[in-house]
Each structure stands twice: as C-alpha cells, then as structure tokens.
Amino acid sequence: MSDAFAALPKPPYYAVIFSSQRNGEDDTGYAAAAQRMVELAAQQPGYLGVESTRGSDGFGITVSYWDSEAAIAAWRQHAEHAATRAHGRTHWYDHYELRVAKVERAYAKSALDPARQRD
Amino acid sequence: MSDAFAALPKPPYYAVIFSSQRNGEDDTGYAAAAQRMVELAAQQPGYLGVESTRGSDGFGITVSYWDSEAAIAAWRQHAEHAATRAHGRTHWYDHYELRVAKVERAYAKSALDPARQRD
C-alpha cells in the first residue's frame, strides 16, 4: 500500500477536509510550510493520519484524521499552526473550503486483496 | 471561485471521501469513465456536489457530497455506477480507501472575502 494512504483505526473518527486553490505564488515557501505542518500535526495528541494531493491546476485536497473533536480544536489553536494558517490565507490561496466531518463507515481495497468492509 | 469547488448548503450533509492510487493503466478508459460518473452522480437525487484532484504520482482524492445516507446508498446501488466500480477495482486502482462521513461544520475563504464560518 502506498505511503499516501493513512492507516486508520475502525470508525468512528473525525476528518478535516481542506480543499484549496493555490494562487501560484511562493511555491518554495508553501512547500516548506506544508511539509512542516504535516510533521507538526503528526506530533499532536489525537492525530490519526493525513492524505493529501494537488493537481497541476493548483487545486488540492488534504484530509486529516483525528480521534476526537477536541483533538481538532487543540490543533486549530496550536500557535505555529495558527500563524501558518494566517499567512496562508493572505499569501498562498485564492480560495479554500474547510469541512469537519465524523467518519461513520470505511471500506478499502488493495490489488492483492478483495474489497473488505472495515466496520 | 474556481469551478473545482462544490457549492454546498449549510451543514449537516454527508461526504464520501474516496482516496485512490491509480495503477497507471488505461488512462483513456479511466478518464472517460470518471467523467461519466461525475455527470451521472450529478443527476441523482440528493447529490450536492463533488471535488476531485489527482497528483502526478497517481494518488487522488475525490469527495462527493450528499444530502442523506439514503442518497449515498441509492447511488451505490445505481446499476451503471456499480458496474463501473467493479471494473475499476480490477483494472484501474492499486489501492483505494472509501470513507463515509457526516459533515458537521464548514468554513470558507476567498481572496476577495474575509474568512467566514458557514454554520
């Protein structure tokens, strides 16, 4: 299985779905900050994993997974994360949407395995 | 705002988060089927919108949005959709993960507007 996939426990857990359109500016600064946020998020209590991709048109989706709403709230209040978000709002994105959701069911399939239901 | 973003009502609503690793085969057939599924989904009762992207490494995330669990179940049972999924499992993907979640809160920000909370 690719490293791109998050290895998650059985539901329920929480997802933060962040879709964004990059403005095409400051690719170097953006890439460094994105990598730093992934590393920092992984150190937070309640972090479960992340999946992220961006197409050549600059539209991207990142989904981070957390074990509780409290963990999401704590990460949102993390000082370095908050500062990076504030910078990103004015420097990196034309537009973004952020949605917080409770994952209730999950399924997976690998080339080597038949489809299976996780819950 | 880019067409890549789904224009959604206020929460609550449901999200189907589909992350997948393409196997690099049959790009033409895959692209045609993906476009057809987006068009067909948009015709289904309870469909709210979709956001989708895939990076150059073949890892992609598609999030479709629905007004109810019943709408997701009906789309899952749609004959053409089921046939396309069955084909995709054996022909297009090395691995995929599918998660069904209830969106509880949403936020957005455009370059022209300050951040705002939707709910």
Side-chain angles (χ1 to χ4, degrees):
Chain A
M1 182 167 112
S2 162
D3 286 345
F5 291 96
L8 300 177
K10 289 185 181 179
Y13 47 79
Y14 288 84
V16 178
I17 307 166
F18 179 73
S19 55
S20 63
Q21 180 65 51
R22 284 275 287 124
N23 59 7
E25 299 175 18
D26 187 24
D27 276 346
T28 304
Y30 171 77
Q35 179 61 29
R36 169 67 180 157
M37 287 303 105
V38 166
E39 293 169 2
L40 197 62
Q43 298 169 17
Q44 305 309 307
Y47 171 87
L48 297 177
V50 67
E51 297 178 348
S52 185
T53 187
R54 189 175 300 280
S56 56
D57 59 354
F59 181 75
I61 300 175
T62 296
V63 189
S64 62
Y65 293 98
W66 304 85
D67 70 1
S68 66
E69 294 248 38
I72 294 170
W75 171 233
R76 182 174 170 80
Q77 290 162 18
H78 186 288
E80 183 177 342
H81 181 211
T84 300
R85 286 204 315 278
H87 185 84
R89 276 197 293 273
T90 51
H91 290 82
W92 293 327
Y93 299 116
D94 283 339
H95 184 89
Y96 66 71
E97 302 276 341
L98 188 147
R99 300 171 181 116
V100 179
K102 183 178 184 180
V103 177
E104 299 175 343
R105 302 194 304 281
Y107 309 79
K109 186 263 177 186
S110 285
L112 300 175
D113 303 317
R116 66 188 187 280
Q117 183 166 350
R118 281 261 175 86
D119 58 341
Chain B
M1 181 166 113
S2 163
D3 286 345
F5 292 95
L8 300 177
K10 289 184 181 179
Y13 46 79
Y14 288 84
V16 179
I17 306 166
F18 179 73
S19 55
S20 63
Q21 181 64 53
R22 283 276 287 125
N23 60 6
E25 298 174 18
D26 187 23
D27 275 346
T28 305
Y30 170 77
Q35 178 62 28
R36 170 67 180 156
M37 287 303 105
V38 165
E39 293 169 2
L40 197 60
Q43 298 169 16
Q44 305 308 308
Y47 170 88
L48 297 177
V50 66
E51 297 178 349
S52 185
T53 187
R54 188 174 302 279
S56 55
D57 60 355
F59 181 75
I61 300 175
T62 296
V63 189
S64 62
Y65 293 98
W66 304 85
D67 71 0
S68 66
E69 293 248 39
I72 294 171
W75 171 232
R76 183 174 170 79
Q77 290 161 19
H78 186 288
E80 184 177 343
H81 181 212
T84 300
R85 286 203 315 277
H87 185 84
R89 277 197 293 272
T90 51
H91 292 82
W92 294 327
Y93 300 116
D94 283 337
H95 185 87
Y96 64 72
E97 302 274 343
L98 189 147
R99 300 169 181 118
V100 180
K102 183 178 184 180
V103 177
E104 298 175 343
R105 302 193 305 280
Y107 309 80
K109 185 264 177 186
S110 285
L112 300 176
D113 303 317
R116 66 187 188 280
Q117 183 166 351
R118 281 262 175 86
D119 58 342

